[in-house]
Amino acid sequence: MAASSKLRVLGLYRALIRESRKFPSYNYREYAVMRVRDAFREHTGETDPNEIHRLLQKAQDTLEVIRRQVVIGHLYSSRKLVIEGEL
């Protein structure tokens, strides 16, 4: 994989993790971070350029969905869970 592709993948990974951590709901936040990490680990050894392009496009689409869901989550947020510390 070219250096520019690696930088794009790393940037997309960081953006997905960063946005996932913005979920107001503990359960959604933890699930989203876990899914992002698992999906990137699953495809670590991918070498086919077409498949890499498809996966990057899918990740970009997922990032947009997460961004929208975070906004919606903040509109309808509820009390924090006990596991989060504050009540």
Side-chain angles (χ1 to χ4, degrees), residues 1-68:
M1 186 183 322
S4 64
S5 293
K6 285 183 181 181
L7 288 176
R8 182 172 176 219
V9 169
L10 186 57
L12 195 51
Y13 175 77
R14 287 179 179 161
L16 282 160
I17 293 291
R18 194 176 312 116
E19 286 299 315
S20 295
R21 288 184 176 151
K22 292 180 182 178
F23 275 110
S25 169
Y26 174 81
N27 291 327
Y28 285 123
R29 185 171 54 245
E30 293 301 313
Y31 178 76
V33 169
M34 181 185 64
R35 278 298 300 134
V36 168
R37 287 182 179 152
D38 289 348
F40 274 80
R41 278 190 201 122
E42 181 181 337
H43 300 289
T44 300
E46 188 61 57
T47 57
D48 180 23
N50 292 329
E51 183 65 12
I52 291 171
H53 178 72
R54 187 188 71 75
L55 290 168
L56 286 174
Q57 186 59 48
K58 182 178 177 183
Q60 187 65 46
D61 294 343
T62 301
L63 178 59
E64 294 305 315
V65 169
I66 290 173
R67 284 182 175 151
R68 286 192 303 266

Side-chain angles (χ1 to χ4, degrees), residues 62-79:
T62 301
L63 178 59
E64 294 305 315
V65 169
I66 290 173
R67 284 182 175 151
R68 286 192 303 266
Q69 289 303 115
V70 165
V71 170
I72 292 169
H74 282 287
L75 292 174
Y76 301 103
S77 62
S78 60
R79 293 179 9 164

